[in-house]
């Protein structure tokens, strides 16, 4: 049997896995307000932290980081080439960024990218996580930390996992694209800090889904 169909199936499973937004599911399970309609309205770790606090944010980070691992574990068990593993990982990030069943309103793919990197280029994942943590602590702004980590990732990959540099560069490009609005807000000095009140940017009533 041609390997094309199994690989395509893994890419689809990767996309569907990515579409399961940790922020949405965690907040629903805890009975909290949907983060897509509060604070910055981004379904990701930093907005959940601002709106709902540390525990829901930590759970969100965990879900978004691990959701890529099962499908990538299958790809690695089947000894698929690195570029195919990268394509599967990228499908997870696309699913997180543009989920079909959340009207395309996904997150910025930072936590999901960390999970994918843990599977494909583990040392790069930890270097970027350390960079993110240090800059988030110093700047108190998730966007600054995320942009720096995304820019660092290909350089760290060239140093620590050279064979994965192109794959990691594709992940970084997607994260940077997803942060285009944040870059503009940073230039205007309007980007939300990690500790800023959730209602500064206004809440809206969520439509029925």
């Amino acid at each position: 049997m041609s390997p094309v169909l199994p690989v395509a199936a893994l890419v689809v499973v990767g996309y569907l896995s990515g579409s399961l937004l940790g922020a949405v599911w965690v907040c629903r399970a805890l009975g909290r307000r949907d983060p897509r309609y509060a604070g910055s309205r981004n379904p990701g770790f930093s907005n959940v932290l601002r709106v709902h606090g540390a525990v829901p944010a930590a759970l969100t980070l965990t879900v978004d980081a691990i959701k890529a691992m099962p499908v990538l574990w299958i790809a690695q068990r089947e000894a698929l080439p690195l570029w195919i593993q990268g394509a599967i990982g990228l499908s997870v990030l696309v699913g997180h960024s543009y989920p079909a069943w959340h009207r395309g309103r996904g997150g910025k793919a930072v936590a999901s990218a960390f999970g994918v990197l843990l599977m494909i280029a583990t040392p790069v994942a930890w270097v970027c996580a350390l960079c993110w943590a240090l800059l988030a602590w110093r700047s108190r702004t998730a966007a600054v930390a995320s942009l720096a980590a995304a820019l660092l990732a290909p350089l760290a990959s060239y140093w620590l996992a050279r064979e994965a540099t192109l794959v990691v560069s594709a992940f970084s490009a997607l994260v940077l694209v997803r942060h285009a609005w944040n870059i503009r807000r940073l230039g205007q000095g309007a980007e939300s800090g990690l500790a800023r009140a959730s209602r500064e940017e206004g809440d809206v009533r969520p439509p029925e889904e």
Side-chain angles (χ1 to χ4, degrees), residues 115-137:
V116 172
L117 285 176
L118 276 177
M119 296 295 292
I120 291 179
T122 305
V124 178
W126 290 118
V127 167
C128 291
L130 179 60
C131 171
W132 191 97
L134 288 174
L135 281 176
W137 172 63

Side-chain angles (χ1 to χ4, degrees), residues 27-51:
C27 290
R28 284 179 179 173
L30 297 178
R32 306 294 181 89
R33 184 181 177 88
D34 190 327
R36 295 172 297 165
Y37 305 102
S40 67
R41 306 174 192 174
N42 176 57
F45 162 82
S46 59
N47 191 40
V48 173
L49 179 63
R50 287 191 296 265
V51 175

Side-chain angles (χ1 to χ4, degrees), residues 52-94:
H52 296 306
V55 172
L59 292 173
T60 296
L61 177 64
T62 301
V63 171
D64 284 341
I66 67 174
K67 65 187 178 183
M69 294 181 180
V71 67
L72 284 172
W73 178 82
I74 293 172
Q76 292 176 351
R77 187 191 65 179
E78 297 300 317
L80 295 178
L82 183 60
W83 72 269
I84 293 180
Q85 295 180 37
I88 295 168
L90 186 62
S91 74
V92 175
L93 304 190
V94 171

